[in-house]
Amino acid sequence: MTQLPLTGTKVIDFTGVQAGPACTQMLAWFGADVLKVERTNGGDVTRNQLRDIPDADALYFTMLNSNKRSLAINTKSPEGREVMEKLIREADVLVENFAPGAMDRMGLSWEHIHELNPRLVFGSVKGFAEDSPWSDLKVYENVAQCAGGAASTTGFWDGPPTVSAAAIGDSNTGMHLLIGVLTALIARDRTGRGQKVSVSMQDAVLNLCRVKLRDQQRLEHVGYLEEYPQYPDGKFTDVVPRGGNAGGGGQPGWVLKCKGWETDPNAYIYFTVQEQNWPRTAEAVGHPEWADDPEYDTAAARQPHIFEIFGEIEKWLADKTKYEAVDILREFGVPCAPVLSMKEIADDPALRADGTVVEVDQKGRGTYLTVGSPVKFSDFTPDIKGAPMLGENTDEVLAGLGYDADTIHRMRAENIVL
Ligand code: COA
């Protein structure tokens, strides 16, 4: 396939940090021409954050901005804003995730953008929805995890609310925005009219905590949650508790120790007791007698002593590595997986082979690893390229808008562009 699905789609990427860039990066992978518009003084803050090589853009930046071009311009200057307005007139999509009110303060309100280009789809990420009492707050990942119900329901019951390592506030919000932007583009192709697509990080986190809102209502109806470790001996209050590593659905599960756990922090598997697979599960872990024992043969009978069962399974696991254990359990249809470290993931040949872990060439750095598209297509495989240097494409973009070399030179001398 020579043309990618979004070839010809022009995207102004007025984003920073992670939520917005994650959305526009995927648009770029799928073929859109994504122009990252950045401040002249340093660009996206992530270029400088957590650097591992002194003069090279940080991995935080390169891993979220591949396949893009970069225009470095002061959009608060009258000439800079004029450039933005020209770009907006020609674009299909503009995505931003600045602090609340920043776009309006720059003179680029949705109303103005819509007037400049009624066909343009405008994607916007904020921490909270416009009508939220907290709509004026600046928000980063963990703030959103706390406000979206994830932190209060994550971790162990005897510890504090806990955030997840997964970027469910940032990248997840970007993915929600991506769905919205693509939907609005399809609508635009039918109606000729662009629209504003807004996603709040609080809402995007909550969308992934749907099952916890389920549990809140179950708790109110029955007073307990039988799949949580607090059942049957612990106390339930009127809020969904933190359930440690319990399985979130109707199939109990837990993280279980394997051979070597004393020294290897990841020598564990996740083990699921699948109701419909109980006899084979019992056989797999060396307790075939559990299949017909009334103490064990139904989920209801097992639940009160599920941790004894897990303890017995850990005895069976004691002389098996996590990989050996999974190899045995897979034969018996037990839903399970080894707990993989980031090092194991980076080295995993299968993840490399299917384009999920990708080695990318980056100017000024050499090669580095990134996560490729988790979405696979039968007609094409996204080709992940390097990220742009700050202002790498300033001249070609301005020339494309009709600015001559002298004007560009003057704008650079006046710090309007880099
Ligand atoms: N030229 C000139 N000025 C520019 C510019 C450019 N090319 N690009 C941005 N700016 C300005 C903005 O207009 C803003 O100016 P103002 O505050 O005077 O109005 C200023 O730079 C800073 O913007 P921003 O990066 O948004 O502010 P911040 O560093 O204080 O806050 C966040 C960062 C992430 C907390 C904030 O942007 C935010 O809450 N965003 C929404 C939620 C979100 O996406 N969070 C991050 C998830 S990864």
Side-chain angles (χ1 to χ4, degrees):
M1 183 166 175
T2 48
Q3 277 215 333
L4 294 169
L6 297 183
T7 298
T9 306
K10 289 187 175 177
V11 178
I12 304 171
D13 178 17
F14 211 15
T15 71
V17 202
Q18 186 172 168
C23 168
T24 49
Q25 174 170 259
M26 214 165 254
L27 290 170
W29 289 350
F30 300 165
D33 173 11
V34 177
L35 179 65
K36 184 151 181 112
V37 178
E38 301 181 74
R39 301 172 183 90
T40 50
N41 52 344
D44 187 326
V45 290
T46 61
R47 284 187 185 270
N48 283 296
Q49 277 178 352
L50 313 174
R51 281 194 174 184
D52 56 324
I53 300 175
D55 294 323
D57 284 324
L59 289 168
Y60 197 7
F61 177 82
T62 61
M63 292 177 77
L64 286 155
N65 292 285
S66 58
N67 297 48
K68 300 179 183 178
R69 298 189 295 149
S70 167
L71 164 68
I73 187 161
N74 177 0
T75 53
K76 280 184 170 166
S77 68
E79 258 182 310
R81 193 176 124 185
E82 200 179 292
V83 169
M84 273 304 277
E85 294 190 343
K86 285 184 178 163
L87 287 169
I88 287 168
R89 284 199 182 88
E90 292 183 354
D92 298 288
V93 176
L94 188 156
V95 179
E96 69 85 24
N97 69 319
F98 290 124
M103 288 294 282
D104 292 351
R105 290 193 287 277
M106 238 183 280
L108 292 171
S109 65
W110 156 237
E111 291 73 22
H112 183 52
I113 289 169
H114 194 47
E115 203 173 37
L116 289 172
N117 181 355
R119 285 178 59 79
L120 181 134
V121 170
F122 176 60
S124 176
V125 166
K126 296 286 166 267
F128 293 91
E130 261 170 45
D131 295 333
S132 162
W134 292 321
S135 63
D136 57 327
L137 283 176
K138 290 182 185 178
V139 171
Y140 287 108
E141 173 69 55
N142 293 341
V143 177
Q145 290 199 25
C146 289
S152 71
T153 52
T154 302
F156 283 80
W157 44 92
D158 52 357
T162 304
V163 296
S164 164
I168 61 174
D170 286 346
S171 275
N172 165 51
T173 304
M175 297 303 99
H176 277 80
L177 188 68
L178 182 69
I179 295 166
V181 164
L182 292 172
T183 303
L185 274 176
I186 293 170
R188 193 277 308 263
D189 286 349
R190 219 178 30 241
T191 64
R193 197 179 148 80
Q195 57 186 303
K196 180 175 177 183
V197 181
S198 309
V199 183
S200 90
M201 294 167 72
Q202 180 186 35
D203 294 358
V205 170
L206 179 57
N207 191 31
L208 297 197
C209 291
R210 188 169 289 261
V211 295
K212 298 298 176 183
L213 188 57
R214 172 201 69 191
D215 293 348
Q216 182 61 39
Q217 295 168 83
R218 290 171 57 223
L219 188 61
E220 283 162 18
H221 291 151
V222 294
Y224 60 86
L225 299 165
E226 66 267 30
E227 77 281 21
Y228 281 61
Q230 289 82 349
Y231 178 85
D233 303 324
K235 268 205 161 11
F236 284 93
T237 65
D238 61 349
V239 300
V240 176
R242 291 186 271 288
N245 286 317
Q251 315 286 5
W254 202 253
V255 167
L256 301 182
K257 292 169 187 156
C258 295
K259 184 177 160 187
W261 66 272
E262 299 89 341
T263 51
D264 176 355
N266 296 305
Y268 290 82
I269 59 169
Y270 198 88
F271 189 102
T272 313
V273 179
Q274 194 189 20
E275 173 62 5
Q276 61 270 40
N277 196 41
W278 176 245
R280 299 199 72 212
T281 304
E283 191 188 344
V285 299
H287 284 282
E289 74 284 2
W290 283 350
D292 304 315
D293 184 333
E295 281 286 300
Y296 294 88
D297 65 354
T298 65
R302 286 190 293 276
Q303 197 59 39
H305 56 119
I306 193 76
F307 282 97
E308 276 166 45
I309 295 174
F310 288 142
E312 284 300 310
I313 300 174
E314 280 189 336
K315 286 185 196 160
W316 177 80
L317 288 166
D319 62 351
K320 297 168 188 70
T321 67
K322 60 187 177 184
Y323 294 109
E324 287 164 354
V326 169
D327 272 346
I328 297 169
L329 294 169
R330 74 205 302 180
E331 298 295 323
F332 291 85
V334 176
C336 62
V339 171
L340 295 179
S341 69
M342 270 301 149
K343 183 168 166 40
E344 286 166 315
I345 284 171
D347 295 339
D348 187 321
L351 290 174
R352 298 270 185 129
D354 80 353
T356 298
V357 174
V358 187
E359 204 165 292
V360 181
D361 253 324
Q362 178 65 36
K363 271 185 214 152
R365 167 177 282 281
T367 58
Y368 72 95
L369 290 183
T370 195
V371 184
S373 176
V375 186
K376 313 294 180 196
F377 298 87
S378 60
D379 279 5
F380 77 103
T381 303
D383 180 16
I384 317 295
K385 303 197 181 91
M389 310 299 278
L390 179 59
E392 184 175 329
N393 308 95
T394 297
D395 287 29
E396 81 192 34
V397 171
L398 293 181
L401 292 173
Y403 291 83
D404 61 32
D406 287 345
T407 309
I408 297 171
H409 185 74
R410 177 187 53 75
M411 286 168 83
R412 186 161 282 126
E414 291 173 8
N415 272 331
I416 296 167
V417 297
L418 185 80

